[in-house]
Amino acid sequence: MFKRVLIANRGEIAVRVIRACRELEIETVAIFSDADRAALHVREADFAVPVGPPPATDSYLRIDRIIEAARRTGAEAIHPGYGFFSENAGFARAVAEAGLVFIGPPPGAIEKMGDKVEARKLMTAAGVPVVPGSPDVLETEAQVRAVAAEIGFPIMLKAAAGGGGKGMREVHRGEELASALRAVIGEAKSSFGSSRFYVEKYLNRPRHIEVQVLADTQGHTVHLFERECSIQRRHQKVVEESPSPFVTPAMRQAMGAVAVRAAKAVGYVSAGTIEFLADADRNFYFLEMNTRIQVEHAITELVTGVDLVKEQIRIAAGAPLPFKQADLTQRGAAVECRIYAEDPENGFAPAPGKIATLRFPDGPGVRVDTGVYQGAEVPIHYDPMIAKLATWGRDRGEAIDRMRRALDEFVIAGELRTNLDLHRWLMRHPQFLGGEYDNNFLEKEYRPPTEESLEGERLAAILMAAAAAYKNHSAPTGVKIMALQPPASAWKIAARLDLLRR
Amino acid sequence: MFKRVLIANRGEIAVRVIRACRELEIETVAIFSDADRAALHVREADFAVPVGPPPATDSYLRIDRIIEAARRTGAEAIHPGYGFFSENAGFARAVAEAGLVFIGPPPGAIEKMGDKVEARKLMTAAGVPVVPGSPDVLETEAQVRAVAAEIGFPIMLKAAAGGGGKGMREVHRGEELASALRAVIGEAKSSFGSSRFYVEKYLNRPRHIEVQVLADTQGHTVHLFERECSIQRRHQKVVEESPSPFVTPAMRQAMGAVAVRAAKAVGYVSAGTIEFLADADRNFYFLEMNTRIQVEHAITELVTGVDLVKEQIRIAAGAPLPFKQADLTQRGAAVECRIYAEDPENGFAPAPGKIATLRFPDGPGVRVDTGVYQGAEVPIHYDPMIAKLATWGRDRGEAIDRMRRALDEFVIAGELRTNLDLHRWLMRHPQFLGGEYDNNFLEKEYRPPTEESLEGERLAAILMAAAAAYKNHSAPTGVKIMALQPPASAWKIAARLDLLRR
Amino acid sequence: MRYIATIAGQDHEFEVEQTGEQNSFRLRLADNRYDLDLRRAGPSSFSILIGDRVFDFEVTGEGEDLAIASREGVTRIVISDLARRAATSRSARAAQSGRAEMRAMMPGRVVSVLVSLGDEVATGAGVLVIEAMKMENELKAPKSGKVIEIRVVPGQTVEKGELLVIIE
Amino acid sequence: MRYIATIAGQDHEFEVEQTGEQNSFRLRLADNRYDLDLRRAGPSSFSILIGDRVFDFEVTGEGEDLAIASREGVTRIVISDLARRAATSRSARAAQSGRAEMRAMMPGRVVSVLVSLGDEVATGAGVLVIEAMKMENELKAPKSGKVIEIRVVPGQTVEKGELLVIIE
């Protein structure tokens, strides 16, 4: 086993990997940009190395500095987390060339699955069903129109190098095509450095269902059942659950077998996810493979009992999988809510800032993964996801009951805003409770709640708290509620000093 | 189902019951003594009623005030938690007479099991093996000497109404008898209001292993396997695990069957625990039944997936058990560490006080149940247990790895002291790792660690942190490290004001 | 002490007085009177009892602008005592004339400006595109009117709250 | 700035100076020199880097008496600058004569006093029984000697740190 591992990431996933390492008694090396000196992943690591200024391209995306940090600290392996370099074959190769171990799939598998068009071809050849669409990369608007004429609107325009919900647009009518194409090409260039794109049929009431796989270096490949991720906004997952309420036992078995076949077709090793789209008739089509650990891996861990990150590390160290397919079962059900620093009243625009107060839920069946803490500043430079809240229950109903309870216990306030209210709304929505939803559910159904009209004792209590806090802060006239100076203003000073220093 | 439930308890178990209620969409009523106005269980409840001054006998043990609180708030049922009134048949009867539901066993079952001597007789009649000892209550030292002459030293002196490790002393030689007897009689009188006692053989290398049972009002009784609780200090459990590393499958089945028989013999309903002592040859003897939810119930929940507190509530509302014995399985392993506010360097004397800083562990396989928060005062009036830390793993090894990791993440400091270091020591002890321990393990093996000798960078870092905190606090001369005033002193002022007000 | 608080655009005038002990207060709101027990459980934590009902709040923010977080979510509130309020509301009214100031909701980079000075825009029309956290967001006109001021150019970095465009 | 810190009975004399930026410090300890980066992550949280090594501490306590909590446990430390220290240590020496003051380790109630004034006691002999949190605890003599003062009587409530008995 490795003695020391560098984590080329930040936020909750870096903390998650640190926890896995610590359970394996492996020392950890964090890297950090100047914006993250006091971030949780740095505080929790054994070693930490600065890698540059806040913009990711100058720090978390600097191969040279990351490799140098690993060398300097004597790390033997690098875990890429998700995002950043996790699906970058060039990075994986550079790690290997530096004599280090990349905790993830072989570069060849990353490449084969990374180009979405090539992956479609490969999967078709391996007998894996794919979504109808353009057989190859397209280049012009005219080509798109030709494909659309064949498969019919609505269609999806997708960057060939895309992933994570970026570089894609759905087009419902010919008139929307031109602007959507410009947006996809623009995002593809800026996010992935490649403007290649292709077209897929946009399915009727599609559901996003994916299958987790694990493969070791000895040729064993297993699947760990499915996750349903159809609760999305702008093609970004917001809530996931496992098992899917939509998947039948027969469908589950078929999807698992196809997922294993897909992984084997590219010689896959490590943890990975085969994403499928399912239509209303329970046909399912290969969408893409995520050749990394995923944000939503926790719910699979809760249901199967397998620690996916520890398995990734063990596999990278050459260990065989400690279980066979037949040893794996789903127990109960799990739900995950992604907590974003964003403003629901402002089109879910990122709303980062200082976290003045933070209380996490806990107790039976609740798991929180986070990269923040009370007093932390959520930087503007990175992904606005600040925590993942997952719950487990003996059945789906109990998992949701617990999620409702956990969301109620989750208190966060400060400069930032969050989407907690969306989750609270969702966990009471009859369609979600009935498992009756598809990828369009959130876009169709969710409207930011109008502020509740407060009255009676609740209003009185809120006014009292406000008066107490205000009084405490303002000049010491009249009623003196407490000898305590609230630290909010002191924090602000500290925050400003920090800002000046950067 | 109930609309509103009163919880006649405080601390972590009150919070635990509130969580269960919230998941069942039941409103909660907390009660609090003057020392607990700002306690977590009050803050988390929907309603809260003051029941008197800090001493428990004036507040949490006032039947009249508790019943009145339930009436006044419209609560339909009362959950007693553990300790306080949880095993008090008089309270259970008073609740019923007030037209409310007692969430627990029938008063008759509490009484039958509450008198340890009567319980021994009853169990013997039901064919349940009991520890050799006095067949009846004893009254004089001479009687004790007679029993001792028969069964031989060492013996255990036990209060007939005892439980929870109080009112018991082991006696190894005749000379120790007189003072031990005085102590038991004294504690029995002050804790249980009865000085009746009996004698049991003190087994060779005994292990404390208990079986969780659940019984509904329709006559269904199941067991939820065993917990091992042999890591004890002064007959108080400190660490528990499930499954027991000592129990074989055959022994497990036998203990489960005996436990169900014991529960049925007293017409048991609700959650309860049959405690056994096992000797080195794996013979096991009925010790007593705890007719309540136990501190260590969380590890059974982690391993079986059953929410015991929610089942208690459902059973009290008349619902049948939602599973049969055959539906229940043990998955993986769980360990629980009880975190006490006590001073290991001072014979584990309670060391309560203000919690200045508090960081709970989280992430995969970790569960924390607590009644405190950062800034809370641990009162001197009640049990010094401030949190329960439980971990789950695919096997015992992983559960322990996770516990080690979770203990490392657990940061607590302030006026109070804790036994965290004991747990850190234990989770690295070869005998514990090997599952080779008995009830005497801690007493024999544990010595408070001599302070590690600090050196090099670690010493330098500690000195730097101390200098920074000191500098920050003292007069603004020399280096100014931060614009922030540490709130410690402000807290202190607030704490003193609080004290004056009480 | 008399206060005025605004929640979701609605004004609430109320009075708070201390009764007896340090933690006991009486709050008068419209025709209602509430007796409250208030404790501070932490630097920003307040526990309030009204009769037997429990309210648990985390209050953050500065001065008059407060955010009150509880199990039910976050309530934003602007509070001041009556004297201060008089002055504040005069200036607020002036600001609420027929003009709409579009400000940056988050720090970011201006990708493109979709309007020109003097353009007439309808409510909901795209005005600016701002990139933040790798996402492009189109800012839409909050009211119909004429673009009378454009303070930014494409490529420019903006801070949260920075004035971007004025429509009148 | 020069300090002296006592940890587990051992004195450490060291010097801290700020170097360059606000967060950079140099610490001299015996013949060693350490360059540190110090950040405050919260009111009592300090993150320190020495080279690439990470140290994360929660520092609580007041004035000179500090508790430093980390993943490795809690380290108690008494710190002062050198000038103050000189004064303190003189009075400390005076207190450390041949007498032992037994103080209450926790708040509680005296159940019984097992010795009388003038008794000669051996180290480890029971002196007092105190009840706290429903547990009776026997306080034992920390040294052998004569009981020269008894400050409490059975039934009395005592505060933490309160002087109970003096043995000389």
Side-chain angles (χ1 to χ4, degrees):
Chain A
M1 189 44 71
F2 310 115
K3 187 183 173 301
R4 197 171 290 166
V5 165
L6 181 142
I7 298 126
N9 216 304
R10 64 178 302 283
E12 72 85 15
I13 191 61
V15 175
R16 170 69 188 90
V17 177
I18 287 172
R19 284 177 164 147
C21 288
R22 201 171 293 152
E23 289 175 18
L24 294 169
E25 308 216 290
I26 296 170
E27 292 179 329
T28 52
V29 182
I31 59 170
F32 62 96
S33 76
D34 296 347
D36 277 340
R37 166 62 186 86
L40 190 59
H41 75 286
V42 174
R43 298 178 60 191
E44 290 288 339
D46 298 305
F47 299 86
V49 181
V51 288
T57 43
D58 299 333
S59 50
Y60 295 109
L61 291 172
R62 284 289 299 258
I63 298 188
D64 53 342
R65 290 187 185 155
I66 294 171
I67 301 277
E68 171 53 26
R71 278 224 180 92
R72 168 172 144 184
T73 54
E76 300 157 61
I78 296 184
H79 194 298
Y82 53 70
F84 293 140
F85 280 138
S86 59
E87 297 182 287
N88 184 313
F91 179 75
R93 285 214 175 82
V95 170
E97 279 159 19
L100 307 169
V101 177
F102 178 75
I103 300 176
I110 300 177
E111 262 163 0
K112 281 176 195 147
M113 286 300 193
D115 187 307
K116 304 305 168 194
V117 177
E118 293 307 310
R120 279 168 59 87
K121 288 186 200 168
L122 211 64
M123 290 300 108
T124 307
V128 171
V130 303
V131 181
S134 58
D136 216 325
V137 167
L138 304 183
E139 282 171 3
T140 65
E141 192 179 322
Q143 286 174 328
V144 176
R145 289 195 187 276
V147 174
E150 195 185 306
I151 64 175
F153 283 106
I155 59 168
M156 285 293 282
L157 290 177
K158 291 183 156 189
K166 282 163 195 164
M168 52 197 285
R169 286 287 188 286
E170 49 184 274
V171 182
H172 291 263
R173 295 183 313 261
E175 305 88 276
E176 300 169 0
L177 194 61
S179 74
L181 199 53
R182 266 198 305 280
V184 165
I185 291 175
E187 275 183 40
K189 250 188 202 153
S190 77
S191 289
F192 314 113
S194 151
S195 60
R196 297 162 71 241
F197 72 94
Y198 65 109
V199 168
E200 271 178 8
K201 172 76 185 157
Y202 187 76
L203 296 181
N204 177 34
R205 296 180 50 206
R207 296 179 75 128
H208 178 118
I209 300 169
E210 59 190 29
V211 176
Q212 176 71 51
V213 298
L214 270 180
D216 65 21
T217 52
Q218 278 96 66
H220 308 111
T221 305
V222 299
H223 71 86
L224 292 98
F225 312 102
E226 84 283 8
R227 294 186 288 258
E228 166 134 25
C229 316
S230 304
I231 302 293
Q232 304 190 348
R233 190 173 35 67
R234 296 172 172 180
H235 308 295
Q236 290 267 16
K237 297 165 189 170
V238 179
V239 171
E240 302 94 355
E241 61 175 313
S242 181
S244 160
F246 183 70
V247 171
T248 60
M251 187 182 176
R252 178 168 297 123
Q253 205 176 351
M255 290 181 92
V258 166
V260 168
R261 201 188 312 152
K264 285 190 165 167
V266 294
Y268 201 78
V269 169
S270 192
T273 299
I274 315 289
E275 297 193 330
F276 295 101
L277 275 188
D279 66 18
D281 300 323
R282 290 195 170 76
N283 300 307
F284 60 91
Y285 306 96
F286 172 86
L287 195 59
E288 62 181 53
M289 178 170 192
N290 290 154
T291 56
R292 51 167 161 87
I293 193 77
Q294 279 188 299
V295 172
E296 61 270 28
H297 73 274
I299 54 174
T300 296
E301 295 184 328
L302 286 169
V303 168
T304 64
V306 172
D307 187 316
L308 292 168
V309 179
K310 286 201 288 201
E311 291 308 331
Q312 280 191 304
I313 298 170
R314 285 198 193 101
I315 288 168
L321 285 175
F323 38 69
K324 296 194 177 61
Q325 188 65 56
D327 299 329
L328 297 170
T329 53
Q330 292 175 299
R331 181 187 233 191
V335 181
E336 173 179 275
C337 291
R338 301 189 184 191
I339 315 299
Y340 288 100
E342 59 184 22
D343 189 352
E345 291 164 35
N346 184 26
F348 294 99
K354 179 78 96 183
I355 299 173
T357 192
L358 180 59
R359 280 155 58 187
F360 285 128
D362 213 317
V366 174
R367 168 174 167 184
V368 177
D369 287 272
T370 187
V372 301
Y373 52 87
Q374 181 163 311
E377 177 88 32
V378 179
I380 62 169
H381 309 282
Y382 315 111
D383 191 274
M385 194 183 73
I386 53 172
K388 300 180 333 195
L389 172 58
T391 56
W392 179 91
R394 269 175 72 80
D395 53 32
R396 186 171 185 265
E398 187 176 53
I400 294 172
D401 288 345
R402 285 196 169 142
M403 181 57 82
R404 212 182 292 120
R405 189 266 292 172
L407 286 165
D408 281 352
E409 289 182 18
F410 202 128
V411 175
I412 183 165
E415 289 168 10
L416 84 177
R417 309 230 169 171
T418 74
N419 63 342
L420 272 173
D421 283 345
L422 182 153
H423 294 300
R424 289 179 179 135
W425 167 87
L426 183 66
M427 293 300 143
R428 289 172 172 87
H429 195 290
Q431 263 178 272
F432 179 76
L433 298 183
E436 308 268 329
Y437 58 86
D438 59 48
N439 291 5
N440 305 312
F441 174 79
L442 219 47
E443 230 105 334
K444 268 202 313 235
E445 292 287 323
Y446 184 68
R447 299 291 170 274
T450 49
E451 298 235 14
E452 53 166 341
S453 92
L454 296 163
E455 53 187 34
E457 294 180 345
R458 181 158 180 79
L459 173 60
I462 284 179
L463 294 175
M464 182 72 224
Y470 169 70
K471 187 83 270 167
N472 224 65
H473 179 272
S474 63
T477 58
V479 180
K480 186 76 188 158
I481 283 143
M482 200 66 177
L484 259 175
Q485 171 77 4
S489 55
W491 268 119
K492 202 79 182 184
I493 294 164
R496 279 181 198 133
L497 288 176
D498 266 326
L499 227 62
L500 289 176
R501 271 202 306 279
R502 276 173 200 156
Chain B
M1 188 46 68
F2 309 115
K3 187 184 172 301
R4 196 171 291 167
V5 166
L6 181 141
I7 298 128
N9 215 305
R10 64 178 302 283
E12 73 86 16
I13 191 61
V15 175
R16 171 70 187 90
V17 177
I18 288 172
R19 283 176 165 147
C21 288
R22 203 171 294 152
E23 290 174 17
L24 293 169
E25 308 215 290
I26 296 170
E27 292 180 329
T28 53
V29 182
I31 59 170
F32 62 95
S33 77
D34 295 346
D36 277 341
R37 166 62 185 85
L40 190 59
H41 75 284
V42 175
R43 297 177 61 191
E44 290 288 339
D46 297 307
F47 299 85
V49 181
V51 288
T57 42
D58 299 334
S59 48
Y60 296 109
L61 292 173
R62 283 290 298 261
I63 298 187
D64 53 342
R65 290 187 185 155
I66 294 171
I67 302 276
E68 171 54 26
R71 277 223 180 94
R72 166 172 144 184
T73 54
E76 300 158 59
I78 296 185
H79 194 299
Y82 52 70
F84 293 139
F85 279 138
S86 59
E87 297 182 288
N88 184 311
F91 179 75
R93 284 215 176 82
V95 170
E97 279 159 18
L100 306 171
V101 177
F102 178 75
I103 300 176
I110 299 177
E111 262 163 0
K112 282 176 194 146
M113 286 299 192
D115 188 306
K116 305 306 169 194
V117 179
E118 293 307 309
R120 279 168 59 86
K121 290 188 200 166
L122 212 63
M123 290 300 109
T124 307
V128 171
V130 303
V131 181
S134 58
D136 217 324
V137 167
L138 304 183
E139 281 172 3
T140 65
E141 192 178 322
Q143 287 175 328
V144 176
R145 290 195 188 276
V147 174
E150 193 183 310
I151 62 175
F153 284 106
I155 60 168
M156 287 293 283
L157 290 177
K158 293 183 156 187
K166 282 163 195 165
M168 53 197 284
R169 287 287 188 286
E170 49 185 273
V171 182
H172 291 262
R173 296 183 312 262
E175 304 89 277
E176 300 170 0
L177 194 61
S179 73
L181 199 53
R182 266 199 304 280
V184 166
I185 291 175
E187 275 183 40
K189 247 187 205 154
S190 78
S191 289
F192 314 112
S194 152
S195 60
R196 296 163 70 243
F197 71 94
Y198 65 108
V199 166
E200 271 178 7
K201 172 76 184 155
Y202 188 75
L203 296 181
N204 177 34
R205 295 180 53 207
R207 297 179 74 129
H208 179 117
I209 299 169
E210 60 190 29
V211 175
Q212 175 72 51
V213 298
L214 269 180
D216 64 21
T217 51
Q218 278 96 66
H220 308 110
T221 306
V222 298
H223 71 86
L224 292 95
F225 312 101
E226 85 283 9
R227 294 184 289 259
E228 164 133 27
C229 318
S230 304
I231 301 294
Q232 305 190 350
R233 190 174 35 68
R234 296 173 171 177
H235 308 295
Q236 290 266 14
K237 298 165 189 170
V238 179
V239 171
E240 303 94 354
E241 61 175 315
S242 181
S244 161
F246 183 70
V247 171
T248 59
M251 185 180 174
R252 178 168 298 122
Q253 207 177 349
M255 292 180 91
V258 167
V260 169
R261 201 188 313 153
K264 283 189 166 169
V266 294
Y268 201 78
V269 169
S270 192
T273 300
I274 316 291
E275 297 193 330
F276 295 101
L277 274 188
D279 67 18
D281 300 323
R282 291 196 168 76
N283 300 307
F284 59 90
Y285 305 97
F286 172 86
L287 194 60
E288 63 180 53
M289 181 171 191
N290 290 154
T291 55
R292 52 168 161 85
I293 193 77
Q294 278 188 298
V295 173
E296 60 270 28
H297 73 275
I299 54 174
T300 296
E301 294 185 327
L302 286 170
V303 168
T304 64
V306 173
D307 187 316
L308 291 167
V309 179
K310 285 201 291 199
E311 290 308 331
Q312 280 190 303
I313 298 170
R314 285 198 193 101
I315 288 168
L321 286 176
F323 37 71
K324 297 194 175 61
Q325 188 65 55
D327 299 329
L328 297 170
T329 53
Q330 293 175 298
R331 180 187 234 192
V335 181
E336 174 180 274
C337 291
R338 300 188 185 192
I339 314 299
Y340 288 101
E342 60 185 19
D343 188 352
E345 291 163 37
N346 184 27
F348 293 99
K354 179 80 94 184
I355 299 174
T357 193
L358 180 59
R359 278 156 58 188
F360 285 128
D362 214 317
V366 174
R367 168 175 166 183
V368 177
D369 287 272
T370 187
V372 301
Y373 53 87
Q374 181 164 311
E377 178 87 30
V378 179
I380 62 169
H381 310 282
Y382 316 111
D383 190 274
M385 194 184 72
I386 52 172
K388 301 181 332 196
L389 173 58
T391 56
W392 179 91
R394 267 174 71 80
D395 52 31
R396 185 171 185 265
E398 187 177 52
I400 294 172
D401 287 345
R402 284 194 169 143
M403 182 56 82
R404 211 182 293 120
R405 189 266 292 173
L407 287 166
D408 281 352
E409 288 181 18
F410 202 127
V411 175
I412 183 165
E415 287 169 11
L416 83 176
R417 308 228 169 174
T418 73
N419 64 342
L420 271 174
D421 283 345
L422 181 152
H423 294 299
R424 290 181 178 133
W425 166 87
L426 183 66
M427 294 300 144
R428 288 172 174 86
H429 196 289
Q431 263 177 272
F432 179 76
L433 299 184
E436 307 269 329
Y437 59 85
D438 59 47
N439 291 3
N440 305 312
F441 175 79
L442 262 195
E443 232 105 332
K444 267 201 313 234
E445 291 287 323
Y446 184 68
R447 300 292 169 271
T450 50
E451 297 234 15
E452 54 168 339
S453 91
L454 296 163
E455 52 188 36
E457 294 179 345
R458 181 159 179 79
L459 174 59
I462 284 179
L463 294 174
M464 182 73 224
Y470 170 69
K471 187 83 271 167
N472 224 63
H473 179 271
S474 64
T477 57
V479 180
K480 188 74 191 160
I481 283 141
M482 200 66 177
L484 258 175
Q485 171 76 5
S489 55
W491 268 119
K492 201 79 182 184
I493 294 165
R496 280 182 197 132
L497 288 177
D498 265 327
L499 226 61
L500 288 176
R501 270 202 306 279
R502 274 172 200 156
Chain C
M1 193 79 175
R2 300 183 68 196
Y3 299 90
I4 188 154
T6 311
I7 303 174
Q10 207 188 326
D11 281 353
H12 303 275
E13 199 179 316
F14 65 102
E15 191 176 348
V16 172
E17 58 173 324
Q18 201 159 5
T19 55
E21 281 178 80
Q22 189 170 1
N23 302 301
S24 299
F25 296 88
R26 178 162 297 157
L27 186 143
R28 286 172 211 275
L29 173 67
D31 296 335
N32 298 313
R33 217 181 54 187
Y34 300 92
D35 288 309
L36 308 95
D37 179 80
L38 171 79
R39 304 285 170 125
R40 198 143 190 183
S44 64
S45 308
F46 294 88
S47 173
I48 293 173
L49 286 185
I50 305 183
D52 300 328
R53 279 195 69 186
V54 175
F55 299 91
D56 192 55
F57 299 121
E58 297 285 338
V59 187
T60 60
E62 273 188 280
E64 308 199 335
D65 258 311
L66 302 173
I68 299 188
S70 71
R71 289 205 294 266
E72 281 78 15
V74 179
T75 303
R76 314 248 156 205
I77 185 167
V78 179
I79 187 171
S80 61
D81 57 57
L82 277 178
R84 295 193 193 193
R85 180 62 168 206
T88 315
S89 62
R90 272 192 302 278
S91 60
R93 264 196 303 278
Q96 267 175 357
S97 60
R99 26 191 290 169
E101 297 184 346
M102 295 180 67
R103 291 175 181 278
M105 293 304 192
M106 67 215 130
R109 199 178 55 83
V110 177
V111 176
S112 55
V113 179
L114 307 172
V115 296
S116 306
L117 210 62
D119 280 6
E120 289 286 345
V121 291
T123 308
V127 175
L128 282 165
V129 179
I130 290 195
E131 187 194 285
M133 290 175 153
K134 298 270 163 218
M135 296 284 291
E136 295 193 0
N137 293 283
E138 198 174 86
L139 272 62
K140 296 179 166 57
K143 56 160 287 187
S144 61
K146 191 174 177 176
V147 177
I148 62 161
E149 206 167 330
I150 299 176
R151 295 277 196 99
V152 290
V153 295
Q156 181 177 338
T157 305
V158 294
E159 291 302 310
K160 185 178 167 182
E162 193 169 329
L163 184 58
L164 308 169
V165 167
I166 302 178
I167 296 169
E168 192 171 82
Chain D
M1 194 76 176
R2 300 184 67 194
Y3 298 91
I4 189 155
T6 311
I7 304 174
Q10 207 187 328
D11 280 354
H12 303 274
E13 200 179 317
F14 64 102
E15 191 176 348
V16 172
E17 58 172 325
Q18 201 158 7
T19 56
E21 283 179 77
Q22 189 171 0
N23 301 302
S24 299
F25 296 88
R26 178 163 296 156
L27 187 142
R28 286 170 213 275
L29 173 66
D31 297 332
N32 298 313
R33 219 182 54 187
Y34 301 92
D35 288 308
L36 307 94
D37 179 82
L38 171 80
R39 304 285 170 126
R40 198 143 193 184
S44 65
S45 308
F46 294 88
S47 173
I48 292 172
L49 285 185
I50 306 182
D52 300 327
R53 280 196 68 186
V54 175
F55 299 92
D56 193 55
F57 300 121
E58 296 285 338
V59 187
T60 60
E62 271 187 283
E64 307 199 338
D65 259 312
L66 302 173
I68 300 190
S70 71
R71 290 204 294 266
E72 281 78 16
V74 178
T75 303
R76 313 247 157 206
I77 185 166
V78 178
I79 187 170
S80 62
D81 56 57
L82 277 178
R84 297 194 192 191
R85 180 60 168 206
T88 314
S89 61
R90 274 192 301 278
S91 60
R93 266 195 304 277
Q96 265 174 358
S97 61
R99 24 191 293 171
E101 298 185 344
M102 296 181 66
R103 292 176 180 277
M105 293 304 192
M106 67 217 130
R109 200 178 54 84
V110 177
V111 175
S112 56
V113 179
L114 307 173
V115 295
S116 305
L117 210 59
D119 280 6
E120 290 285 344
V121 293
T123 309
V127 176
L128 281 166
V129 179
I130 291 197
E131 187 194 284
M133 287 173 154
K134 297 271 162 219
M135 296 284 290
E136 295 193 0
N137 295 283
E138 198 173 83
L139 272 61
K140 297 180 167 54
K143 55 161 288 185
S144 62
K146 192 172 175 178
V147 177
I148 61 161
E149 207 169 330
I150 298 175
R151 296 277 196 99
V152 290
V153 295
Q156 182 178 339
T157 305
V158 293
E159 291 302 311
K160 184 178 168 181
E162 194 169 329
L163 184 59
L164 308 169
V165 167
I166 302 178
I167 297 168
E168 191 172 79

